[in-house]
Every structure is written in structure tokens, then in C-alpha cells.
Amino acid sequence: VSEVAGIPLPRRPRARRGEGDRLRAEILAATERLLVETGDADRVSIRAVADAVGVTPPSIYLHFSDKSELLLVVCESRFAQFDRILLEAGGSAADPLVALRRKGRAYVQFGIENPEHYRLLFMVRNAGDRTFEEMPAAAAAFGHLVDDVSACMGAGAFSRADPQLVATGIWTGMHGLTSLLISAPAFPWPDLDTMVDHVIDVQVRGLAPPAS
Amino acid sequence: VSEVAGIPLPRRPRARRGEGDRLRAEILAATERLLVETGDADRVSIRAVADAVGVTPPSIYLHFSDKSELLLVVCESRFAQFDRILLEAGGSAADPLVALRRKGRAYVQFGIENPEHYRLLFMVRNAGDRTFEEMPAAAAAFGHLVDDVSACMGAGAFSRADPQLVATGIWTGMHGLTSLLISAPAFPWPDLDTMVDHVIDVQVRGLAPPAS
DNA sequence: TGTACATCAGTGAACGCGCGTTCACTGATGTAC
DNA sequence: TGTACATCAGTGAACGCGCGTTCACTGATGTAC
């Protein structure tokens, strides 16, 4: 949609010398915006992004070698944002288990509020082919979860075990709920808060040390 | 690929009068086979299915109104098969908790062995827009899980609670592990069996009645 | 201060591709007489 | 038993679409002299 009723939409003004990176930032912003607006990653095409920025498709290639690089960069920035959100959700809680519970709720909430971003991060084919080396922000986010799990073990809230294994298990647990809420909206879901609390409670009880 | 080196591939013989349903069955079989072989639902196009059957694309429309109907029917038949596999996995175990554990392992195994079918059932956009009314096989499969959960409560393995809620929680738990194994193969996974057993154990402990 | 020139942020048109779907048709098969 | 005919399982060609990507180019901007 580069014109309406024959009247071309305003082209975005050309960047000045040395400010080529401005377009790069605008492309990234438009890509994220399109993901949210259309709610469909398949509709985020190079052409759609170019249109949203007010530029022709080839200009994208001045800043990204191809479509997959563009998506990779978006993916990394969303991981970083996701990580920040979880960090904030944990907040100032002194009890590591309280912090972890809050993060669990925030995890699900992020997925519900940003389903297309969540899909991009965890559900799309080939997204998971990238290793942690290629995705430092993702590695950092998972590292924080491992730290939280270790803290819970230190505080006696969880029985001692391999923190990596336990963290992975918690991740899969929260992901299962989040991803199904996104991809199976027609399922007869129980009340959302009840559901989230139930899933978190079961995990926490399952990881707690045996009552002595 | 309807020909190789200029030599047309053998056309499948035309069905006799009244045997038109034969093609329908062949289309369904070819679709399922393509999902497994290509490992990519995007490559299962009407044209690819027609080619695999040895028929021209328009013939598909003699048996299915459009692509989404074809996929819906495949989806249902896979749900029925999935349900059968889980039923067999539970087998003759007298203890309902033992049966449920076995089904949990079988669930993950099905996903790993049939990633594209699993994607189609649970991970693809719009697949989850269908209600249980439209997908009786899916409803039946979930109903069996609810029954199993009730049996575990009856046997005292789980503390009493809403079986629907608990079943949904178990489903999301197993789905989380399965779907991430599929879509995040580059993640540094712990040993598979260890992982599966851990996830199941945490759930079972979390649902068990408080030690008295 | 003036001007030729290199730079660089973009453009415009086209490429070939595979897709879902439609449409008018063909030709073997079975049936009625 | 023979033949005209209706049926029906398919075909062949084309439609319009949006896609990622390439290529030769333009024209404003800044710079060197």
C-alpha cells in the first residue's frame, strides 16, 4: 500500500549523510510493530516492512543481508526486552520463591499480550536452530532463571538438584501453558488466573523438599 | 515433479465408477506422508499432495472443498491415532498413576517421532481455533486424560481437585516439554530420559496429597 | 568563495517462483433400451 | 447382443497473487581543491 486512491503516501524523508543507521532502527521498529498489529508473522514480509517504513523493498538490503538476519535481530531485541520484563516482575522480593512465582505469572502475561513476539521467540520453525552463542540475549535470560532456581535451592524452597535441569523443567512448564493459551484459544480453558496459579503451585510443590 | 528427464511419471490409474473415494483416501495418506517426509507443513501444498498421489491439483477439489478442510480431516485422523497410541501406552497397568506416567512418556515420544504431525495438532496458527465440537477425536483424547486424572484421585495418588483443571495442567506440562524439544533443538538439553522423568516426577509430586 | 566530484541513501523495474483456486473440457465406464 | 447415451473421475491451462531478491540507476549531500 504505497498509495491510496492514486495519491502516493508521503515518502519518508531521506536520511542525511552518516545517518543511514536511522533507517535501520526504523526497519526494526516497523517489523516489531507489524508483528503486533497483524498478529501473523507470515504477513511480516520484506515488502510489508518496507511499506510500513515508507521506503522501497531493496532499501532493506542496505541494512540486513536477508530476511532471516532481520528476524534474528528482532528476535534478539525481544529476548532482551522479555528478560527485562521478567527482571522487573521479580522486583524487590526478598524471598527468591516469591520472586520466581511473580516471574512465572509475568512470563504467561507477556505471551498473552505479545502472542506474535512469543511465537517468534519460541514457537516458530527454525527459530530454535540458533544456539545460545548466536543469541546472547536468550542465553542471558535463561541464565537468570538458573540463578533464580539456585537461589530457591539455597533458601530451602526447592530441594537440591541440578539447577540447569530444574530451570529447564520450569521453563517447559510455563511455556506449555503460555503456548497453548496462544495456539489453542478455542480450548475450554478454566479461569486464567486459576490456571496460572495452579500450574505454578504444582511446580513449586513438586520441587519443594519433602516435608520433614 | 510430474516428470523426470522429460519422461512423465506414471499416472495413477483412474478409479472405476463408484470408487471415487479411493482417491480421497490416497490424498489423505499422501498428505500425512508428506508431513513426515518433508518435515515442513508449509511444503505440504495442494500441488505437492497432488503430485505425490499422481494426480493433477484440481482433482483434490473433487474430494475436499479447500485446503483447510483437507488439513482439518488429517488433523482429526492424527488426533485419533495419537489417542490410540496413548491408550496402548497406558496398557494394562492396574495402578492409574503408573498408566498416566507411561502415557506421559508416550506423549513426548510421539512428538519427537512425528514433529510435523505434532506441530499440526498443537502448534500451528489457527489449528487451535477449532472447538471440540469440530474436532471430536481431539475432544475424546482430552476426555481420556480427564478420566485418568479422576482415577488417580480415586486411587489417592492425586489430591482431590477439579479433574478438568488438573488434566489441563498436565497437558500443558507435557506439551511444554514436547513442543520445545521440537522447536528449540539447539537448546542445551539435558539427557532426554532424565528430562522427561524429571518433568513427570515434578508434576506427580506436585499433585500428590500432602504427606500425612 | 566557487565548483567539480566522490559518496551514499535510496529508487524503479524486473526476475522467477510456488501458491490456491477456477473453468471448460475429455474420455473411459457403466446403463437403458 | 448391440448401441446410444448419461455419468463421473479426472485433466490442462490459466487466473491473479505476494513473495525474496537482484540490478542498474539517480540525485541530494558533503568535500577537496
Side-chain angles (χ1 to χ4, degrees), chain A residues 165, chain B residues 105 108-109 112-113 177-178 181-182 189-200:
Chain A
L165 177 70
Chain B
R105 281 190 211 98
V108 178
Q109 196 186 342
I112 292 174
E113 289 175 357
L177 176 56
T178 307
L181 284 168
I182 290 172
W189 289 102
D191 169 72
L192 179 61
D193 285 332
T194 307
M195 188 72 228
V196 175
D197 285 338
H198 169 75
V199 166
I200 294 177

Side-chain angles (χ1 to χ4, degrees), chain A residues 45-66:
Chain A
S45 62
I46 290 281
R47 288 159 194 265
V49 171
D51 254 347
V53 177
V55 113
T56 58
S59 332
I60 309 284
Y61 293 88
L62 298 173
H63 297 96
F64 301 92
S65 69
D66 55 20

Side-chain angles (χ1 to χ4, degrees), chain B residues 48-126:
Chain B
V49 171
D51 255 348
V53 176
V55 113
T56 58
S59 331
I60 309 286
Y61 293 87
L62 297 174
H63 297 96
F64 301 92
S65 69
D66 56 19
K67 190 185 181 183
S68 79
E69 193 201 319
L70 170 59
L71 288 182
L72 175 64
V73 173
V74 170
C75 215
E76 265 290 276
S77 101
R78 297 312 292 188
F79 260 122
Q81 193 215 355
F82 192 18
D83 192 23
R84 278 196 305 277
I85 287 176
L86 294 184
L87 194 68
E88 283 170 24
S92 54
D95 183 341
L97 184 58
V98 170
L100 196 56
R101 279 181 186 275
R102 286 186 190 159
K103 289 183 181 184
R105 281 190 211 98
Y107 187 109
V108 178
Q109 196 186 342
F110 175 87
I112 292 174
E113 289 175 357
N114 309 278
E116 282 309 314
H117 288 147
Y118 193 84
R119 267 192 193 279
L120 180 64
L121 295 185
F122 296 122
M123 298 167 73
V124 160
R125 183 191 318 284
N126 300 334

